[in-house]
mmCIF file of all heavy atoms in Angstrom:
data_model
loop_
_atom_site.group_PDB
_atom_site.id
_atom_site.type_symbol
_atom_site.label_atom_id
_atom_site.label_comp_id
_atom_site.label_asym_id
_atom_site.label_seq_id
_atom_site.Cartn_x
_atom_site.Cartn_y
_atom_site.Cartn_z
ATOM 1 N N GLN A 50 12.468 3.017 -2.619
ATOM 2 C CA GLN A 50 12.766 3.068 -1.215
ATOM 3 C C GLN A 50 11.679 3.911 -0.506
ATOM 4 O O GLN A 50 11.856 4.148 0.715
ATOM 5 C CB GLN A 50 14.113 3.610 -0.883
ATOM 6 C CG GLN A 50 15.197 2.653 -1.385
ATOM 7 C CD GLN A 50 16.582 3.159 -1.068
ATOM 8 O OE1 GLN A 50 16.881 4.365 -1.279
ATOM 9 N NE2 GLN A 50 17.412 2.336 -0.524
ATOM 10 N N ASN A 51 10.649 4.317 -1.162
ATOM 11 C CA ASN A 51 9.681 5.189 -0.566
ATOM 12 C C ASN A 51 8.251 4.600 -0.849
ATOM 13 O O ASN A 51 7.940 4.375 -1.998
ATOM 14 C CB ASN A 51 9.828 6.613 -1.136
ATOM 15 C CG ASN A 51 8.887 7.611 -0.427
ATOM 16 O OD1 ASN A 51 7.693 7.357 -0.338
ATOM 17 N ND2 ASN A 51 9.451 8.689 0.068
ATOM 18 N N SER A 52 7.456 4.451 0.145
ATOM 19 C CA SER A 52 6.181 3.779 0.027
ATOM 20 C C SER A 52 5.001 4.674 0.293
ATOM 21 O O SER A 52 3.862 4.193 0.586
ATOM 22 C CB SER A 52 6.121 2.584 1.000
ATOM 23 O OG SER A 52 6.168 2.998 2.307
ATOM 24 N N THR A 53 5.133 5.957 0.223
ATOM 25 C CA THR A 53 4.062 6.901 0.542
ATOM 26 C C THR A 53 2.954 6.866 -0.518
ATOM 27 O O THR A 53 3.247 6.871 -1.714
ATOM 28 C CB THR A 53 4.607 8.262 0.621
ATOM 29 O OG1 THR A 53 5.654 8.310 1.665
ATOM 30 C CG2 THR A 53 3.520 9.291 1.077
ATOM 31 N N ILE A 54 1.711 6.830 -0.074
ATOM 32 C CA ILE A 54 0.587 6.893 -0.971
ATOM 33 C C ILE A 54 -0.392 7.932 -0.526
ATOM 34 O O ILE A 54 -0.349 8.356 0.646
ATOM 35 C CB ILE A 54 -0.175 5.535 -1.134
ATOM 36 C CG1 ILE A 54 -0.770 5.062 0.177
ATOM 37 C CG2 ILE A 54 0.692 4.517 -1.823
ATOM 38 C CD1 ILE A 54 -1.746 3.915 0.015
ATOM 39 N N ARG A 55 -1.299 8.355 -1.394
ATOM 40 C CA ARG A 55 -2.387 9.266 -1.027
ATOM 41 C C ARG A 55 -3.701 8.569 -1.393
ATOM 42 O O ARG A 55 -3.853 8.058 -2.456
ATOM 43 C CB ARG A 55 -2.272 10.599 -1.821
ATOM 44 C CG ARG A 55 -3.464 11.528 -1.510
ATOM 45 C CD ARG A 55 -3.435 12.714 -2.398
ATOM 46 N NE ARG A 55 -2.154 13.464 -2.260
ATOM 47 C CZ ARG A 55 -1.726 14.240 -3.193
ATOM 48 N NH1 ARG A 55 -2.364 14.461 -4.315
ATOM 49 N NH2 ARG A 55 -0.583 14.888 -2.984
ATOM 50 N N LEU A 56 -4.611 8.589 -0.466
ATOM 51 C CA LEU A 56 -5.984 8.069 -0.663
ATOM 52 C C LEU A 56 -6.906 9.296 -0.540
ATOM 53 O O LEU A 56 -6.941 9.869 0.528
ATOM 54 C CB LEU A 56 -6.339 7.023 0.373
ATOM 55 C CG LEU A 56 -7.724 6.394 0.186
ATOM 56 C CD1 LEU A 56 -7.832 5.697 -1.133
ATOM 57 C CD2 LEU A 56 -7.988 5.397 1.317
ATOM 58 N N SER A 57 -7.593 9.605 -1.581
ATOM 59 C CA SER A 57 -8.501 10.797 -1.564
ATOM 60 C C SER A 57 -9.941 10.396 -1.534
ATOM 61 O O SER A 57 -10.293 9.214 -1.756
ATOM 62 C CB SER A 57 -8.190 11.675 -2.790
ATOM 63 O OG SER A 57 -8.405 10.918 -3.970
ATOM 64 N N HIS A 58 -10.750 11.379 -1.241
ATOM 65 C CA HIS A 58 -12.225 11.180 -1.177
ATOM 66 C C HIS A 58 -12.574 10.030 -0.230
ATOM 67 O O HIS A 58 -13.331 9.091 -0.649
ATOM 68 C CB HIS A 58 -12.806 10.940 -2.607
ATOM 69 C CG HIS A 58 -12.440 11.984 -3.545
ATOM 70 N ND1 HIS A 58 -12.913 13.285 -3.462
ATOM 71 C CD2 HIS A 58 -11.590 12.039 -4.614
ATOM 72 C CE1 HIS A 58 -12.406 14.013 -4.438
ATOM 73 N NE2 HIS A 58 -11.616 13.299 -5.126
ATOM 74 N N VAL A 59 -12.107 10.091 0.961
ATOM 75 C CA VAL A 59 -12.294 8.979 1.914
ATOM 76 C C VAL A 59 -13.724 9.066 2.517
ATOM 77 O O VAL A 59 -14.270 10.116 2.672
ATOM 78 C CB VAL A 59 -11.230 8.995 3.028
ATOM 79 C CG1 VAL A 59 -9.843 8.742 2.411
ATOM 80 C CG2 VAL A 59 -11.257 10.266 3.810
ATOM 81 N N THR A 60 -14.221 7.882 2.829
ATOM 82 C CA THR A 60 -15.502 7.767 3.521
ATOM 83 C C THR A 60 -15.318 6.713 4.621
ATOM 84 O O THR A 60 -14.309 6.075 4.700
ATOM 85 C CB THR A 60 -16.676 7.322 2.576
ATOM 86 O OG1 THR A 60 -16.391 5.967 2.159
ATOM 87 C CG2 THR A 60 -16.776 8.273 1.399
ATOM 88 N N GLN A 61 -16.408 6.529 5.374
ATOM 89 C CA GLN A 61 -16.367 5.467 6.411
ATOM 90 C C GLN A 61 -16.097 4.114 5.863
ATOM 91 O O GLN A 61 -15.637 3.199 6.548
ATOM 92 C CB GLN A 61 -17.563 5.557 7.301
ATOM 93 C CG GLN A 61 -17.616 6.808 8.142
ATOM 94 C CD GLN A 61 -18.878 6.882 9.084
ATOM 95 O OE1 GLN A 61 -19.681 6.020 9.085
ATOM 96 N NE2 GLN A 61 -18.936 8.009 9.763
ATOM 97 N N LYS A 62 -16.448 3.868 4.629
ATOM 98 C CA LYS A 62 -16.199 2.553 3.948
ATOM 99 C C LYS A 62 -14.687 2.235 3.857
ATOM 100 O O LYS A 62 -14.318 1.146 3.692
ATOM 101 C CB LYS A 62 -16.782 2.523 2.569
ATOM 102 C CG LYS A 62 -18.289 2.371 2.577
ATOM 103 C CD LYS A 62 -18.957 2.439 1.185
ATOM 104 C CE LYS A 62 -18.121 1.862 0.065
ATOM 105 N NZ LYS A 62 -18.750 1.878 -1.234
ATOM 106 N N ASP A 63 -13.832 3.319 4.004
ATOM 107 C CA ASP A 63 -12.410 3.112 3.933
ATOM 108 C C ASP A 63 -11.778 2.717 5.266
ATOM 109 O O ASP A 63 -10.583 2.478 5.357
ATOM 110 C CB ASP A 63 -11.756 4.371 3.429
ATOM 111 C CG ASP A 63 -12.130 4.709 2.023
ATOM 112 O OD1 ASP A 63 -12.104 3.789 1.189
ATOM 113 O OD2 ASP A 63 -12.504 5.865 1.723
ATOM 114 N N ASN A 64 -12.604 2.639 6.331
ATOM 115 C CA ASN A 64 -12.093 2.158 7.630
ATOM 116 C C ASN A 64 -11.491 0.810 7.471
ATOM 117 O O ASN A 64 -12.224 -0.166 7.109
ATOM 118 C CB ASN A 64 -13.174 2.142 8.708
ATOM 119 C CG ASN A 64 -13.570 3.519 9.196
ATOM 120 O OD1 ASN A 64 -12.938 4.460 8.915
ATOM 121 N ND2 ASN A 64 -14.690 3.527 9.898
ATOM 122 N N HIS A 65 -10.191 0.663 7.651
ATOM 123 C CA HIS A 65 -9.548 -0.615 7.443
ATOM 124 C C HIS A 65 -8.097 -0.597 7.910
ATOM 125 O O HIS A 65 -7.526 0.437 8.109
ATOM 126 C CB HIS A 65 -9.647 -0.963 5.968
ATOM 127 C CG HIS A 65 -9.838 -2.411 5.702
ATOM 128 N ND1 HIS A 65 -8.879 -3.391 5.895
ATOM 129 C CD2 HIS A 65 -10.941 -3.096 5.293
ATOM 130 C CE1 HIS A 65 -9.386 -4.590 5.556
ATOM 131 N NE2 HIS A 65 -10.638 -4.404 5.237
ATOM 132 N N MET A 66 -7.509 -1.751 7.989
ATOM 133 C CA MET A 66 -6.077 -1.895 8.141
ATOM 134 C C MET A 66 -5.474 -2.041 6.772
ATOM 135 O O MET A 66 -5.954 -2.840 5.983
ATOM 136 C CB MET A 66 -5.761 -3.118 8.999
ATOM 137 C CG MET A 66 -4.234 -3.334 9.164
ATOM 138 S SD MET A 66 -3.498 -2.277 10.421
ATOM 139 C CE MET A 66 -4.039 -3.001 11.921
ATOM 140 N N TYR A 67 -4.448 -1.244 6.475
ATOM 141 C CA TYR A 67 -3.822 -1.279 5.132
ATOM 142 C C TYR A 67 -2.335 -1.706 5.309
ATOM 143 O O TYR A 67 -1.672 -1.384 6.311
ATOM 144 C CB TYR A 67 -3.845 0.090 4.451
ATOM 145 C CG TYR A 67 -5.201 0.517 4.134
ATOM 146 C CD1 TYR A 67 -6.013 1.191 5.101
ATOM 147 C CD2 TYR A 67 -5.790 0.286 2.923
ATOM 148 C CE1 TYR A 67 -7.336 1.614 4.766
ATOM 149 C CE2 TYR A 67 -7.111 0.632 2.585
ATOM 150 C CZ TYR A 67 -7.838 1.340 3.511
ATOM 151 O OH TYR A 67 -9.131 1.657 3.226
ATOM 152 N N TYR A 68 -1.890 -2.480 4.353
ATOM 153 C CA TYR A 68 -0.487 -3.054 4.433
ATOM 154 C C TYR A 68 0.318 -2.689 3.177
ATOM 155 O O TYR A 68 -0.200 -2.799 2.060
ATOM 156 C CB TYR A 68 -0.550 -4.586 4.513
ATOM 157 C CG TYR A 68 -1.423 -5.061 5.645
ATOM 158 C CD1 TYR A 68 -2.761 -5.372 5.450
ATOM 159 C CD2 TYR A 68 -0.834 -5.214 6.968
ATOM 160 C CE1 TYR A 68 -3.533 -5.830 6.463
ATOM 161 C CE2 TYR A 68 -1.694 -5.660 7.994
ATOM 162 C CZ TYR A 68 -3.000 -5.965 7.767
ATOM 163 O OH TYR A 68 -3.817 -6.407 8.767
ATOM 164 N N PHE A 69 1.560 -2.314 3.345
ATOM 165 C CA PHE A 69 2.448 -2.059 2.263
ATOM 166 C C PHE A 69 3.132 -3.396 1.897
ATOM 167 O O PHE A 69 3.464 -4.198 2.735
ATOM 168 C CB PHE A 69 3.510 -1.061 2.660
ATOM 169 C CG PHE A 69 4.601 -0.916 1.703
ATOM 170 C CD1 PHE A 69 4.370 -0.362 0.406
ATOM 171 C CD2 PHE A 69 5.890 -1.318 2.014
ATOM 172 C CE1 PHE A 69 5.395 -0.253 -0.520
ATOM 173 C CE2 PHE A 69 6.916 -1.160 1.076
ATOM 174 C CZ PHE A 69 6.639 -0.667 -0.137
#
Side-chain angles (χ1 to χ4, degrees):
Q50 293 182 313
N51 186 306
S52 63
T53 304
I54 62 168
R55 177 187 302 157
L56 181 61
S57 59
H58 306 291
V59 297
T60 68
Q61 291 181 1
K62 287 176 32 177
D63 294 315
N64 285 349
H65 217 285
M66 176 78 74
Y67 295 88
Y68 306 93
F69 170 66

